[in-house]
Amino acid sequence: MPTMGSKLRAEQIELMAGIIHKERNQSNFIKSLNSLIDLESGKLVNDKLGTDQKAMLKDWRRQAQISLKLPSSFVSEFARLTSESMHVWAMARKENSFLTFAPYLEKIVSMLRKKSDLLGFKDHPYDALLDLYEPGFTTSEIKLLFGKIKKTTTSILLKIAQSKDVECSFLHGNFPKDKLLQFSHLLLESLGYDFDKGRLDLSQHPFSISLHPFDSRITTRIHNDSLFDCISAVLHEGGHSLYEMGLNPEHYGTPLCDAVSLGIHESQSRLWETRIGQSKPFWYHFLPILKTYFPELDPIDLNTFYQAINRVEPSFIRVEADEITYSLHVILRFEIEKQLIEGSLKVSEIPETWNYLMYNYLGIKPSTDAESCLQDIHWSMGAMGYFPTYVLGNVFASQFFEAFAKEHTDWEKRVAEGELGFLRKWLEKNIHSLGKTYSAKDLVKKMTGSSLSEKDYVTYLNKKYQELYGFA
Ligand code: CO
């Protein structure tokens, strides 16, 4: 969209948000819903409904409850504010000026605090916002989980800092765009990505968008000098898209053709990106193929390549972070958001707090706003409570992957032979096709037999990076 178009777009979005909200709160719809499920207590009127119907009603009730609590004037105003703010944020980031964005962010934070009051919460105002993205999770639960992950990752990071650095210069060079795109198509096809139902394009920031299980599109980006940036974006967004393609189209328009939560969505992208795309068996098969596209990689052996794509180094930008520092980037944002929403931190104090935490967790100090608190779009969209789902995605992915590995003890051998369809089918059967039948926590329990826990994730990181860097 051209820059000048953003004001009109903000007005359109404000209007649409108002209309959608009004339709949702329409008394006919609310009455019908209430005749099937008591909106107040959540008790089903007819106990004999099937699992599918129960799940649909439960989610429709949840949506109705949220919608009924928010006045339409609030919804429209928030839609206009955030639409304008995204535009201002993009400008501010270009100009590297937090001061330009700060007045908008102040309005957003104040409206989010109001939103959390309107929605209601038990213990912490952030609970109400977190629940919008990851239903059933609380701030205190996240704090506890993140505390454990922070402990592990900072300790691994310290050990890596004392280890020998890894050679990775061959991942940077002049890689022709068309070759990278051809290889990306090949990767997606081997994952089972159906190009009759999706497509791959280029954009500034990689993303995936799905309109229907038969129309699920992704983008990647090509930094001319970076080989792996494009590959990991393709695997990541491809993972998101496979989830959407695996939903049951028969249930389109209902919660059963909808993803469980943002965290579960992210588990699908991270699973393909990291557990497969950064694994040795995967590159045992794909490195020789990659070399046919980029012969300059010929002298690189599998071990050297595997080490390079898993190299750990603290850096400023979250989306470029390695597996170890990634969680720390997210935890930092969670801590800032939590304080903003509870009112213990002012917007004007964000840059200083950001840099302080960055130095504490990663040992590096950003020197500009663009490489610190202006780097992500989320706050300008009014999306606070969203960031924790990125780490949850890794936690869910690890638990799911352990369950998969238990069932397919020969997975490494099969992946090394270039076979990937069996993983996609397993995910489709156990996660994708179920839509919102189960909550995130229930799904974890159903698939793994245990409750949500950081254990599998932490064990995986410890083992992998111990081997990679050879520390005790
Ligand atoms: Co993602």
Side-chain angles (χ1 to χ4, degrees):
M1 188 175 71
T3 329
M4 294 285 282
S6 65
K7 198 168 176 291
L8 176 69
R9 177 61 59 91
E11 284 167 20
Q12 292 165 336
I13 288 175
E14 180 188 3
L15 178 69
M16 289 298 291
I19 294 172
I20 292 169
H21 186 258
K22 211 171 125 201
E23 286 292 320
R24 275 222 177 108
N25 287 2
Q26 222 199 84
S27 61
N28 277 352
F29 174 67
I30 296 298
K31 250 192 234 153
S32 310
L33 191 58
N34 210 18
S35 71
L36 296 166
I37 183 167
D38 189 279
L39 289 182
E40 214 36 62
S41 66
K43 205 177 166 298
L44 289 159
V45 175
N46 179 353
D47 225 21
K48 290 190 188 68
L49 296 174
T51 322
D52 282 6
Q53 291 166 312
K54 282 183 191 166
M56 286 195 241
L57 287 174
K58 234 176 107 185
D59 192 64
W60 276 325
R61 170 184 175 245
R62 180 179 171 269
Q63 289 177 27
Q65 277 184 313
I66 293 170
S67 201
L68 286 168
K69 283 175 188 161
L70 303 174
S72 40
S73 56
F74 181 90
V75 172
S76 304
E77 195 188 331
F78 193 65
R80 197 194 51 231
L81 171 65
T82 51
S83 182
E84 270 173 25
S85 301
M86 279 194 272
H87 176 64
V88 175
W89 163 78
M91 254 171 22
R93 193 169 75 149
K94 218 166 162 189
E95 291 164 7
N96 188 23
S97 157
F98 182 70
L99 283 178
T100 308
F101 179 51
Y104 286 82
L105 188 55
E106 261 159 28
K107 277 186 224 158
I108 287 174
V109 169
S110 118
M111 282 198 84
L112 283 174
R113 283 163 55 90
K114 173 112 189 280
K115 190 171 181 175
S116 128
D117 281 337
L118 288 166
L119 293 171
F121 56 88
K122 240 211 258 124
D123 297 318
H124 196 285
Y126 191 78
D127 288 350
L129 304 179
L130 178 65
D131 195 75
L132 293 173
Y133 303 101
E134 202 58 44
F137 280 78
T138 64
T139 312
S140 62
E141 215 173 351
I142 294 288
K143 214 176 129 191
L144 194 71
L145 188 75
F146 283 10
K148 292 180 201 164
I149 293 172
K150 187 159 76 180
K151 206 171 144 214
T152 303
T153 46
T154 43
S155 127
I156 296 178
L157 197 56
L158 264 175
K159 288 178 197 156
I160 289 178
Q162 290 154 9
S163 310
K164 205 170 143 265
D165 198 6
V166 163
E167 159 66 7
C168 71
S169 57
F170 56 87
L171 292 177
H172 302 274
N174 191 15
F175 302 101
K177 196 162 135 181
D178 54 332
K179 288 266 168 71
L180 264 171
L181 277 176
Q182 280 166 23
F183 185 69
S184 301
H185 272 88
L186 178 133
L187 278 184
L188 286 169
E189 263 160 10
S190 48
L191 256 55
Y193 188 86
D194 185 346
F195 277 95
D196 287 334
K197 298 175 182 168
R199 48 179 296 133
L200 172 68
D201 291 279
L202 291 174
S203 66
Q204 182 76 30
H205 295 279
F207 67 92
S208 67
I209 183 162
S210 180
L211 311 168
H212 186 276
F214 294 167
D215 185 353
S216 184
R217 314 171 193 192
I218 59 173
T219 70
T220 183
R221 70 169 156 204
I222 294 191
H223 281 172
N224 273 335
D225 67 326
S226 170
L227 175 73
F228 213 68
D229 203 46
C230 170
I231 293 174
S232 51
V234 162
L235 293 172
H236 183 99
E237 303 309 334
H240 279 304
S241 211
L242 286 175
Y243 188 0
E244 296 285 337
M245 284 180 181
L247 292 167
N248 186 347
E250 264 178 50
H251 294 301
Y252 179 67
T254 81
L256 293 187
C257 183
D258 203 357
V260 179
S261 68
L262 286 188
I264 299 290
H265 225 305
E266 191 69 4
S267 78
Q268 299 308 290
S269 56
R270 292 292 280 176
L271 197 144
W272 286 108
E273 179 195 357
T274 63
R275 301 302 299 250
I276 295 295
Q278 282 172 246
S279 77
K280 214 187 251 182
F282 182 78
W283 287 105
Y284 178 85
H285 177 77
F286 282 103
L287 183 59
I289 300 174
L290 184 69
K291 285 178 180 176
T292 64
Y293 288 84
F294 307 107
E296 60 266 46
L297 293 173
D298 261 346
I300 308 300
D301 63 37
L302 178 62
N303 257 332
T304 312
F305 188 80
Y306 173 64
Q307 282 185 325
I309 61 170
N310 286 296
R311 179 172 179 260
V312 174
E313 193 192 26
S315 63
F316 299 121
I317 306 297
R318 176 184 59 88
V319 295
E320 291 167 7
D322 55 75
E323 255 185 314
I324 298 298
T325 56
Y326 189 82
S327 298
L328 296 168
H329 282 270
V330 175
I331 293 170
L332 171 154
R333 287 153 176 80
F334 161 69
E335 285 170 5
I336 290 180
E337 285 185 352
K338 188 173 96 29
Q339 291 179 47
L340 287 170
I341 297 302
E342 71 193 15
S344 63
L345 183 76
K346 289 195 217 105
V347 165
S348 59
E349 294 166 334
I350 293 176
E352 199 190 327
T353 309
W354 186 290
N355 293 358
Y356 171 79
L357 290 175
M358 200 68 187
Y359 189 70
N360 252 286
Y361 296 168
L362 294 177
I364 50 175
K365 253 191 197 143
S367 52
T368 68
D369 294 340
E371 65 183 14
S372 61
C373 55
L374 281 183
Q375 65 182 275
D376 300 298
I377 195 171
H378 305 61
W379 291 348
S380 74
M381 293 162 55
M384 286 194 185
Y386 187 125
F387 277 119
T389 67
Y390 288 126
V391 172
L392 281 176
N394 286 319
V395 174
F396 291 139
S398 293
Q399 289 193 273
F400 294 154
F401 200 81
E402 289 322 310
F404 163 77
K406 228 185 234 170
E407 222 177 293
H408 295 93
T409 46
D410 60 346
W411 75 269
E412 288 175 284
K413 190 175 157 283
R414 290 171 78 176
V415 169
E417 283 163 4
E419 196 191 333
L420 295 165
F422 71 117
L423 171 57
R424 189 189 58 78
K425 278 186 199 129
W426 187 85
L427 294 169
E428 187 180 321
K429 180 177 150 232
N430 292 296
I431 301 172
H432 306 170
S433 63
L434 303 179
K436 274 186 161 135
T437 310
Y438 301 97
S439 69
K441 282 179 185 168
D442 287 348
L443 187 63
V444 167
K445 196 137 209 190
K446 181 177 172 283
M447 286 177 63
T448 65
S450 21
S451 306
L452 177 90
S453 155
E454 79 295 343
K455 277 197 194 109
D456 287 335
Y457 181 47
V458 162
T459 308
Y460 154 73
L461 290 179
N462 266 322
K463 186 167 174 286
K464 178 173 172 181
Y465 288 89
Q466 230 165 56
E467 275 170 25
L468 269 161
Y469 280 89
F471 53 76

